[in-house]
Structure formats: structure tokens, C-alpha cells
Amino acid sequence: MFSLELSETHEMIRQTARDFAKTEVAPSAVERDKNGEFPTEIVHKLGELGFLGMMVDPQWGGSGLDALSYVLAMEEISAVDASVGVVMSVNNSLVNWGLDTYGSDEQKTNVLTPLAQGVVHGAFCLSEPEAGSDATQQHTTAVRGDGGWILNGTKNWITNGTTASWYLVMAQTDRELKHKGITCFIVPRSAEGFEPGLKEDKLGIRSSDTCSIGLTNVFVPDNMILGDVGQGFKIAMESLNGGRIGIAAQALGIAKGAFEAALVYSTQRKAFGKPISDLQAIQLKLADMATRLEAARLLVYKAAWLKDQHQNYIKAAAQAKLMASQAAVHIALEAIQVHGGYGYVREYLVERFLRDAKITEIYEGTSEIQHIVIARELLKSLA
Ligand code: CAA
């Protein structure tokens, strides 16, 4: 039975994340959004707090916490700065999870441990110029060489792309086998022929770094294959199930930040001789925003809870991401409306929430893909 009881540890994680967001992340968030600077120092401190390896066993440098703790921390950090949230989400869900689940002890010692400790961070390379939603259409190839594989191709939209130290790269090792011929390679930033491109100039999450990656005859030794040859698509899809919970929590945080800003502002701004919070037109908005926020929160926490119970969470993760990302965009738009003209200028924070919210409907599976995932899971349950 789904239960939302938070333990003392959960409350402590939430408070720690809230305090950290307020004191360490918030002061530089506006400036970093303006100049697109990567939050290097903040990411380093996230590592010290144990937030970059939240669900990894302490044996491999992690904090050994559950998915609900991760979601609570993601929500608080993203309520202040979603750019920091996505660095954290990709490292925890898309990089560490796969290494923890499929890695050899050697890979866990050399790669997972520094990633989980937050000494370095990682990136996940699935998307390509011609393989976004249709992720099975990998054009990056890996051909057999002496003692390993030689990779060629281009990856796109890679979060943490210019700053990561380790990359999980999906490549086609046997085209005939279609998605069963895709393999996941662990590639260090220092590999010869591995070239991150220029940072993209994005609408939102501007201080996170996104870029394309060129791979030209990059040699990867056999011991750096994650899982088995041909298992890469399965690893990518399973990683994305958890990743969607992380992005749902990021969206939830954005929605919370936007809602709280609107709520406070409505009590401060006066019109027609009284605070605008006394006007029904504004009260309707606040009530609607709060209800969507709470509905999104329940779905996000439920998806994390199912993961923690080792139950199937594919549908729940997709529903949480779909709902929370839509709530984030809607609530950010309404927060601007409550602020009126002030909501449209950079001096007030709410316009950033809208710019940051939009990407949550796109990455780690667009809303259209989430609908497909949900529908397929519903139909599977009939079979
Ligand atoms: N969990 C586990 N396995 C899954 C899965 C899931 N959610 N979705 C598909 N699979 C498995 C299927 O079971 C199947 O395996 P078998 O052949 O062994 O049965 C295999 O994957 C292929 O599945 P389909 O036949 O359903 O493939 P499809 O091509 O019809 O559809 C898709 C697959 C669901 C559309 C998938 O391509 C998808 O999720 N696309 C979106 C990709 C995505 O989310 N990209 C995000 C990029 S990463 C990013 O944004 C990173 C960043 O930096 C922030």
C-alpha cells in the first residue's frame, strides 16, 4: 500500500537540501543564469554533501539512501536553481545507476566511486542528431579492434557534456540486431578522438552545460563495456526510467519555486486598495496552482516509493514526469501572470522558472514519449 510517511532521515535530507539551496545556490543563481556559467563550486559542495551519489552503496562512495530521499533533495535544489538540479539528476540517475547495477567491481572502484563521491561528475550519451525520441536509431558505430572497440559518431544534447570526466556512450556494435546490437561504453573525457563541442546557448537551465560530442576513432578497451555487448539499449531504457523520476522531481521543484514566489508576491502587491491576494481572480489562480503542485508531488513521490519497494515503476515514472513537467510550465506561466509586468522582467525571478520549466517537457523523453510509455504499460497489463 502506497504510504507517504517521511522518516526522520527523509526530513533531515529535505532540510539539508533546503538550507544548502538557500545559502549556497540561491545567491549566485541569477548571475549564473545571465552569464551561463557552470556551477563548479556548488557541484563540488553537492559532492561533499553526498548528493551526487545518493542511492549508491557506501562501499562505492555513495550515501546509500533511497529514491524518495533523492526526490526530496532534487525538489529543494531545483526550487532555487534547476540548472544545478539537472547536473545532480544526470549524475545520480543516468550515470551512477547503470554503473551500480551493471558495472564490474573494477568499474565500480575506478569510475563509480569518484562519481558517487562527487569528486568528478558524469554524462549520458544516447541522443544523436538523427536519434532523439526514436532512440533505437543509433548511428554511432563501434567496430572490433585489438582488445577493444573503435567508436565513431556524434552525440547530441549531452547534459554535463563539457565538464564531465566520464561518459556512458551508446553505440551500435551490430546493426543487424537493431536495438539488441547496441552496447554501452564507459569513456573517459581524456580518450583520444573524444571531442565535446561548444556549449549550447539555451532558453533555460542556462548554467548547466549541454553540448554535442564528436567521436573519431575513439578506442575503448573490453573492460570498459558496461554490462554485456548488446545490452546497451536495455541499460539506457532502464536508466531513463529512474532518470524520469529525477526530472519529474526537478520539474516539481521549479513548480514549487514559482508557486511560492507568486503566493508571497500576491500578499505584497496592492491593487484596488488591497493586496491582490484578496481578489478572487488571483485566489482562483493560487488555488489552481497549489492543487496542480500537490497532484504532481504525489505522483513523483509515488514513483520514488515504488522504486524503493522494488516494484515496477516504469508507468509511474512516466506519469510523474508528464504531470510534473506540465504543472511546472503551467504554474510558471501563472506565476508570471500574478506578477503582471514585473513577472516579465529579469529583475523578478519568475520568468526564469518558465524558461527552466520548458525543458522538463522535452529531455529524458518528451511528453509525447511519456504518453507512449504509459499507454504501452497499460496495454501490457491486459496481456
Ligand atoms: N524500460 C525498460 N525497457 C524498455 C523501456 C523502458 N521504459 N522502453 C522500451 N524498453 C525495451 C523494450 O522492452 C524492448 O526490449 P525487448 O526487445 O527486449 O523486448 C526494447 O526496449 C525496444 O523497445 P520498443 O520495441 O518498445 O522500441 P520502440 O522503438 O518502439 O520505442 C521508446 C522505444 C519507448 C520510444 C524509446 O525509444 C524511448 O524511450 N525513447 C525516448 C528516448 C529518450 O528518453 N531520450 C532521452 C535522451 S537522454 C537525455 O535527455 C539526457 C540528458 O542529458 C538530460
Side-chain angles (χ1 to χ4, degrees):
M1 191 64 173
F2 173 48
S3 150
L4 246 193
E5 223 171 293
L6 296 187
S7 66
E8 268 181 38
T9 308
H10 290 135
E11 294 290 1
M12 190 196 73
I13 298 288
R14 176 150 64 181
Q15 196 56 48
T16 305
R18 192 172 287 170
D19 293 343
F20 179 77
K22 194 172 159 199
T23 56
E24 303 280 347
V25 183
S28 54
V30 170
E31 202 49 37
R32 279 182 290 102
D33 172 61
K34 272 191 196 144
N35 61 26
E37 185 195 331
F38 186 80
T40 308
E41 191 55 30
I42 291 168
V43 171
H44 178 70
K45 287 182 181 164
L46 280 179
E48 287 176 347
L49 277 181
F51 282 5
L52 290 183
M54 290 193 78
M55 293 163 289
V56 175
D57 195 300
Q59 184 191 357
W60 308 113
S63 303
L65 293 163
D66 58 11
L68 189 52
S69 303
Y70 167 53
V71 155
L72 293 168
M74 275 294 300
E75 180 183 348
E76 294 301 327
I77 303 277
S78 304
V80 166
D81 189 348
S83 291
V84 174
V86 74
V87 179
M88 188 174 148
S89 182
V90 166
N91 204 66
N92 276 287
S93 299
L94 295 188
V95 184
N96 288 347
W97 185 86
L99 287 163
D100 200 13
T101 309
Y102 288 96
S104 64
D105 280 2
E106 185 193 9
Q107 291 166 351
K108 288 184 186 180
T109 304
N110 298 333
V111 184
L112 177 60
T113 300
L115 285 167
Q117 287 170 336
V119 177
V120 294
H121 58 273
F124 176 83
C125 308
L126 174 68
S127 298
E128 299 188 352
E130 290 171 76
S133 292
D134 193 0
T136 60
Q137 299 304 309
Q138 298 286 301
H139 285 66
T140 298
T141 55
V143 295
R144 197 76 196 121
D146 190 12
W149 297 79
I150 296 154
L151 274 59
N152 280 286
T154 306
K155 293 291 174 180
N156 251 28
W157 316 125
I158 307 306
T159 303
N160 297 343
T162 69
T163 56
S165 295
W166 290 101
Y167 298 74
L168 299 186
V169 179
M170 282 5 105
Q172 195 82 51
T173 38
D174 187 340
R175 193 159 297 286
E176 304 257 294
L177 296 176
K178 300 187 175 151
H179 68 273
K180 291 200 163 122
I182 294 170
T183 300
C184 180
F185 296 89
I186 306 169
V187 185
R189 164 71 183 265
S190 56
E192 208 180 320
F194 188 86
E195 279 175 57
L198 292 178
K199 187 174 167 172
E200 302 286 353
D201 189 6
K202 306 191 295 291
L203 175 71
I205 53 162
R206 291 182 54 78
S207 80
S208 76
D209 65 318
T210 310
C211 69
S212 58
I213 307 265
L215 297 116
T216 312
N217 296 326
V218 175
F219 178 75
V220 183
D222 285 326
N223 65 349
M224 294 304 255
I225 286 177
L226 183 62
D228 295 327
V229 172
Q231 214 179 9
F233 193 72
K234 178 177 159 66
I235 294 173
M237 287 298 115
E238 289 178 359
S239 301
L240 280 164
N241 291 330
R244 287 165 186 165
I245 299 179
I247 298 306
Q250 181 200 29
L252 178 63
I254 297 169
K256 171 182 144 83
F259 169 69
E260 286 174 357
L263 184 65
V264 170
Y265 182 80
S266 73
T267 63
Q268 295 167 344
R269 172 71 177 174
K270 289 206 171 98
F272 309 104
K274 51 189 172 190
I276 60 170
S277 56
D278 284 1
L279 303 172
Q280 275 196 358
I282 299 297
Q283 289 179 351
L284 288 172
K285 288 192 187 304
L286 294 173
D288 177 68
M289 291 158 86
T291 305
R292 288 175 196 243
L293 177 65
E294 201 55 34
R297 182 173 284 125
L298 288 171
L299 283 182
V300 178
Y301 290 8
K302 182 180 174 190
W305 181 84
L306 282 171
K307 184 168 188 283
D308 289 332
Q309 302 301 311
H310 308 290
Q311 294 186 40
N312 184 328
Y313 59 94
I314 298 176
K315 175 166 71 75
Q319 287 178 320
K321 181 177 182 288
L322 178 65
M323 179 75 181
S325 60
Q326 286 175 347
V329 171
H330 181 82
I331 291 170
L333 268 170
E334 288 293 76
I336 292 176
Q337 198 67 13
V338 169
H339 280 73
Y342 294 103
Y344 201 66
V345 293
R346 292 217 167 179
E347 191 187 341
Y348 283 72
L349 289 179
V350 285
E351 60 85 36
R352 174 160 59 90
F353 288 121
L354 179 64
R355 288 188 288 107
D356 287 353
K358 185 58 203 168
I359 190 61
T360 66
E361 293 185 320
I362 299 173
Y363 61 16
E364 301 204 22
T366 59
S367 293
E368 290 74 11
I369 289 293
Q370 305 312 325
H371 279 99
I372 291 173
V373 173
I374 295 163
R376 286 184 181 179
E377 288 298 307
L378 288 171
L379 293 167
K380 249 194 240 169
S381 69
L382 289 181

